[in-house]
Amino acid sequence: MSESFDDIAENFEYLDDWEDRYRYVIELGRAMSPLDDSLRIPATMVEGCASQVWLVPRVEGEGEAARFFFDGDSDAMIVKGLIAILRTYYCGRRLNEISELDAPGALARLGLDQHLSSQRSNGLRSMIGRIRLFGSECAVSGVG
């Protein structure tokens, strides 16, 4: 993934209408590698999403150098794009940062809070909650 969250925010500002922004979100999702079928299991599925969503966390490094990453996938292209955006926001951060980050505030920069259906917004909150839980569990267990 070559784009940063700030790059995505700048691109959102450049795009004039929400149809173009939705297409861009879908393109971000299409650019992600699909999740291996062996990882599409109940333990990785995110509850509270209208579509099927899987998130698989991983930690790279050890101790203070440990960084959080996750892979994900969805059966809905717009949701897969939202996962891609969340990856730019969360991946590569220190474990102790994950639960402290203001993802809803960051996503508000994109206007997503005002332009997603209530089902998509609920699903996005569920994904953020799951990511925060992953980060906390990894930090507490000393994984990494």
Side-chain angles (χ1 to χ4, degrees):
M1 191 170 355
S2 60
E3 288 188 89
S4 70
F5 185 82
D6 288 334
D7 291 336
I8 291 170
E10 286 178 24
N11 288 336
F12 259 72
E13 289 175 15
Y14 174 75
L15 297 169
D16 290 330
D17 65 45
W18 272 93
E19 288 300 316
D20 290 338
R21 291 176 182 176
Y22 285 131
R23 277 193 285 277
Y24 176 55
V25 170
I26 290 169
E27 287 174 26
L28 292 170
R30 283 190 177 132
M32 281 189 348
S33 298
L35 196 60
D36 189 88
D37 285 342
S38 67
L39 298 173
R40 294 173 186 244
I41 57 175
T44 63
M45 186 170 259
V46 177
E47 298 295 325
C49 296
S51 49
Q52 292 186 312
V53 176
W54 300 271
L55 298 178
V56 181
R58 70 181 191 283
V59 176
E60 295 180 6
E62 295 183 18
E64 291 294 316
R67 301 288 178 190
F68 177 81
F69 295 88
F70 73 93
D71 295 312
D73 209 344
S74 176
D75 62 347
M77 290 308 297
I78 190 82
V79 176
K80 191 169 179 175
L82 295 174
I83 294 167
I85 292 170
L86 289 174
R87 287 181 70 197
T88 66
Y89 186 69
Y90 282 107
C91 288
R93 305 271 192 158
R94 290 189 320 270
L95 290 176
N96 62 355
E97 286 182 284
I98 300 303
S99 63
E100 298 170 9
L101 292 170
D102 180 18
L107 294 170
R109 276 179 64 193
L110 306 179
L112 290 173
D113 55 333
Q114 299 171 12
H115 289 91
L116 292 176
S117 69
S118 60
Q119 283 186 322
R120 293 276 186 248
S121 293
N122 289 338
L124 186 57
R125 280 191 293 279
S126 294
M127 288 187 282
I128 291 168
R130 188 69 173 265
I131 291 165
R132 286 179 173 167
L133 180 63
F134 288 151
S136 295
E137 288 173 347
C138 291
V140 167
S141 68
V143 171

